[in-house]
Amino acid sequence: MYTSLMDEITAQSLISKNFPDLAIHKIIKIGEGTANVAYEVNDRLIFRFPKGPVSRVQLAQEIILQPVLSRYSTLPYPKFDYLPSDRFFAGYEKLEGNPLINEMTHFDSWEAFAEQIGSFLNRLHSIPKNKLDSLNLLVEDKSFADWQTRSDQFYEKTKHLIPKMYYPEIEIFFNTKPQDQVIDKVLCHNDLGIEHILVTDDKVSGIIDWGGVAIADPACDFARLYRDVGPKILDMVLAKYD
């Protein structure tokens, strides 16, 4: 069963069936993306339902990763306290804070942000390989040439929207000859945009949405930060990263 037609009644029925000791006094839909639909229960729990086979695989990866994060993550993350036997969905205590993407207009504690995110990524990227080898996580194995080919398709479609002053720098990427190199791949969140970084009281209070987690080039995590907060803040984060 997949959740393309999930509503509050169906969600409540599934939760109650699997967790009869949980009395549901209130349930509201709080979000829906391409991968999941999420409901808030009793103002304190979040239940997330995958919308298709790919999303179920991503949820399975998050479930497998839970023990590793409990040992290595320096920041709060969703802890799946509610898992049905078929692991069709997951529930967890709501994390404190709001996505940074909604707080950018008045967020100014970038020193603290850099310290927390730099330390978080340093710890995440330093997890020993032998702790990950048996987890069967996605391995991001695209080469530089693969990224050039993939990016060129999007560049041609969107070039007319980009100021011409940026063309030379962008085209350096496309004109660079790929070189064979061995990249030490690490555990990456792999979607560390500011929509997935929670903040409260001018501090980072959690990292959510681990469905895209992968063994990958650590640049995958830094690239999202570069995209969302710019090179100055990225440099501050890198200064806290070993």
Side-chain angles (χ1 to χ4, degrees):
M1 176 181 179
Y2 296 118
T3 54
S4 58
L5 300 177
M6 181 68 65
D7 56 21
E8 280 88 346
I9 295 175
T10 305
Q12 180 167 348
S13 175
L14 286 169
I15 296 168
S16 296
K17 177 182 177 181
N18 285 276
F19 306 103
D21 293 337
L22 175 61
I24 299 178
H25 308 295
K26 178 181 178 182
I27 181 170
I28 59 171
K29 182 178 178 180
I30 59 168
E32 181 173 2
T34 56
N36 298 278
V37 56
Y39 292 88
E40 183 179 277
V41 172
N42 299 344
D43 297 320
R44 66 178 185 85
L45 300 173
I46 303 296
F47 281 86
R48 205 172 76 223
F49 296 84
K51 294 174 66 176
V54 173
S55 302
R56 288 203 69 180
V57 170
Q58 291 181 334
L59 177 59
Q61 288 210 131
E62 288 190 74
I63 294 169
I64 290 170
L65 197 63
Q66 292 273 301
V68 176
L69 292 180
S70 70
R71 182 173 179 183
Y72 290 98
S73 181
T74 62
L75 290 169
Y77 60 91
K79 297 179 181 179
F80 296 158
D81 297 320
Y82 296 88
L83 277 174
S85 58
D86 62 2
R87 300 193 168 192
F88 169 65
F89 62 90
Y92 53 91
E93 291 281 345
K94 184 178 179 181
L95 296 182
E96 186 179 7
N98 296 307
L100 179 56
I101 193 171
N102 299 331
E103 304 291 326
M104 284 292 285
T105 55
H106 55 269
F107 186 84
D108 58 5
S109 298
W110 295 111
E111 286 286 350
F113 175 90
E115 177 73 41
Q116 290 182 279
I117 295 297
S119 298
F120 165 75
L121 288 177
N122 193 61
R123 181 74 166 159
L124 188 71
H125 293 171
S126 299
I127 297 175
K129 284 192 66 178
N130 62 4
K131 302 295 184 183
L132 305 171
D133 287 342
S134 64
L135 300 185
N136 197 31
L137 296 172
L138 171 71
V139 177
E140 179 58 78
D141 57 2
K142 288 186 176 65
S143 68
F144 187 84
D146 292 332
W147 284 116
Q148 283 180 313
T149 301
R150 179 177 173 81
S151 300
D152 187 52
Q153 301 170 13
F154 292 101
Y155 182 48
E156 290 303 317
K157 291 179 181 179
T158 60
K159 188 174 181 178
H160 65 286
L161 301 172
I162 303 171
K164 291 184 178 180
M165 61 183 289
Y166 295 116
Y167 287 3
E169 292 183 60
I170 295 172
E171 287 167 4
I172 287 174
F173 167 70
F174 292 112
N175 294 327
T176 299
K177 183 179 178 180
Q179 298 182 8
D180 293 332
Q181 56 180 317
V182 177
I183 296 173
D184 189 13
K185 295 178 181 178
V186 300
L187 181 67
C188 292
H189 180 282
N190 209 33
D191 197 10
L192 196 61
I194 57 175
E195 71 275 21
H196 298 149
I197 300 175
L198 301 181
V199 295
T200 185
D201 296 328
D202 293 325
K203 291 183 179 180
V204 178
S205 57
I207 306 294
I208 60 173
D209 285 10
W210 290 77
V213 67
I215 307 299
D217 185 333
C220 291
D221 282 339
F222 293 114
R224 267 75 170 189
L225 296 173
Y226 177 83
R227 177 195 68 189
D228 292 346
V229 298
K232 180 179 178 181
I233 306 303
L234 174 60
D235 285 344
M236 293 167 61
V237 172
L238 288 169
K240 305 297 182 180
Y241 179 85
D242 185 5

